[in-house]
Amino acid sequence: MSNCAEVVIIGGGIIGCAAAYNLAKKGASVIVLEADDSIGNGGSSRNGGGVRQSGRDPRELPLAMYSVEHLWPVLSEELGVNVEYHKEGNLRLGKTEKHMEILQGLTDRATACGLDVKMISGEEVRAINPYLSEEVIGASWCPTDGHANPLIATLGYYKRARDLGVCFYTGEEVVQIQKVRGKARRVITKKNVYEGEKIIVAAGYESRKIVETVGIDIPMRKELIEALVTEAEPKMFPQMLGTADADFYGHQTDHGSFVFGGASGFESVNKDNGTNATSSITAPCICRGIMKYIPKLANAKIVRTWAGYEDLCADGIPVISPVEEVPGLILACAFTGHGFGISPVVGILLSQMALEEQTLLDMKEFRYDRFHAVI
Amino acid sequence: MKKINDRSMDIGPFVAAPDDDMLICRCEEVTKGEIRKAVHEGMYTLTEIRRYLRTGMGLCQGQTCAKLVKRIVAAELQVSPDELEPATSRSPMRPIEMEVFAKEADADE
């Protein structure tokens, strides 16, 4: 059992695993500590698998565009597993004039950043996807968006990192980071002590109480959202779907099943008993939403529902940043439900931060000290 | 209390066996050999096996194969099956049509 490494990563989700993989590839020694029994048991395995650029905050768009252009297309080959990546477009659907205004705003902001996305009519939508109902009057269409399998992608990063010699410990809940001579160095778990030259915290919402032990706070909250999956259906369409109203999103997987996520409207006040349990009202609500857009799925059988926490940042984009007050500490948290699609590039960026290399993209928008009071 | 699991511990190499072609998860058609191999690729929990191979993700939701998968994984890790946590059971109990599930509330319109 090894307790010392150049880099200790707290959090074995897709961000931690992708960072570990990229660090190991460059020859660094890495330890990953995961509080849960299973790797990737948080948002990494519970998201809807969207690999989207459209609909993103302009500050986050360069990360998404870089991932889509350079990383997702070769990820299966790189990890040696099939991550089921499909780059066959995203339709964000609208049913009312108000929806179309929302979509127009998103589209204008994205095209200003150089993304290929445009507004299309209801007829054009149905030419791309004939299963969508007449209620859909238009959409935004981004042909380079897509989807992938988050379960396989997360475990694929884990598997490759492990093959390269990264030490993973599950069931290791971190309670404290300790400084030695002014630098973050020791990671204290309930049972052990680990040491690293650099410490990356990628533990979702739980990052907050971990970095609090060295006096750092990130303004975020957590919200429990839900998703469901149908039995395998004949192949219908390859696009990722979303709506202006955000009532559901989803896609058909390689397996044939449809994965859809959605909201009941009670997310911010959901009961929180410490487990990510589903509620009885959300999945039926998602079903009602889906059937209005895709009537043909009314007979599709739901086989499973699940819930997962999002770590929502005060300003809607993640914190991916070294912390100057605590040298050696690097944060990667508050992904706000957008982490999966950008995880391949974030893994590279974190490895560059940990090895003190120039980052391949400008990261000033993601700094930990960007938050200011309103007045 | 969670048990610390060192994912680099030595469980020996994967050795092919004559019954590796046996179907264990019938819904998703996963064989014994695939399950054993996944353990050697680092999938040490039933939740990870399930997400990696789709065992127990089909129509029966693992009601047929869960115990078999558990026994195979435990044997490969050289631990007692009791030490492995089962994967989470998820609602609904039986596959249910979207239009039936959707009737949980009366539609307003």
Side-chain angles (χ1 to χ4, degrees), chain A residues 35 37-39 41 158-159 162 168 170 191 255 281 284 287-288 292 298-302 304-305, chain B residues 2 5 7 28 42 44-45 48 50-52 54 57 61 90-91 95-96 98-99 101-102 104 109:
Chain A
D37 284 330
S38 292
I39 293 292
N41 201 24
Y158 157 65
K159 172 178 170 286
R162 182 177 169 272
F168 285 84
T170 49
K191 290 175 189 155
H255 168 258
I281 59 169
C287 288
R288 292 192 288 276
K292 283 183 190 158
N299 291 319
K301 283 182 175 146
I302 307 296
R304 216 163 35 249
T305 62
Chain B
K2 295 209 185 318
N5 203 344
R7 300 310 184 94
E28 296 294 325
Y44 284 10
T45 68
E48 288 165 10
R50 175 173 168 148
R51 289 174 179 159
Y52 194 62
R54 296 194 58 84
M57 277 199 182
Q61 289 292 292
R90 299 198 184 278
S91 156
I96 179 167
M98 223 181 258
E99 63 181 345
F101 207 18
E104 165 266 353
E109 59 270 22

Side-chain angles (χ1 to χ4, degrees), chain A residues 29-156:
Chain A
S29 61
V30 185
I31 292 172
V32 178
L33 305 173
E34 168 54 50
D36 202 275
D37 284 330
S38 292
I39 293 292
N41 201 24
S44 305
S45 292
R46 295 167 192 273
N47 68 81
V51 180
R52 264 188 317 102
Q53 309 155 96
S54 60
R56 284 197 188 252
D57 190 300
R59 294 169 292 172
E60 205 179 65
L61 204 47
L63 272 61
M65 288 170 72
Y66 188 92
S67 298
V68 166
E69 196 170 338
H70 301 288
L71 305 174
W72 277 108
V74 293
L75 197 60
S76 291
E77 200 181 333
E78 188 161 357
L79 299 181
V81 293
N82 182 6
V83 301
E84 300 172 17
Y85 176 55
H86 290 269
K87 190 176 181 173
E88 300 189 65
N90 182 77
L91 284 167
R92 188 173 292 256
L93 310 167
K95 292 198 294 190
T96 65
E97 286 308 322
K98 186 143 184 294
H99 291 167
M100 298 312 287
E101 273 170 41
I102 297 171
L103 295 173
Q104 188 69 55
L106 287 169
T107 302
D108 292 345
R109 284 195 290 279
T111 45
C113 297
L115 181 67
D116 175 16
V117 55
K118 62 177 182 188
M119 297 294 291
I120 58 174
S121 69
E123 285 63 47
E124 289 171 303
V125 171
R126 279 176 288 278
I128 293 168
N129 184 332
Y131 296 98
L132 293 167
S133 76
E134 293 292 327
E135 282 190 47
V136 177
I137 60 168
S140 69
W141 168 238
C142 177
T144 54
D145 278 353
H147 51 79
N149 183 328
L151 316 174
I152 302 291
T154 304
L155 292 171

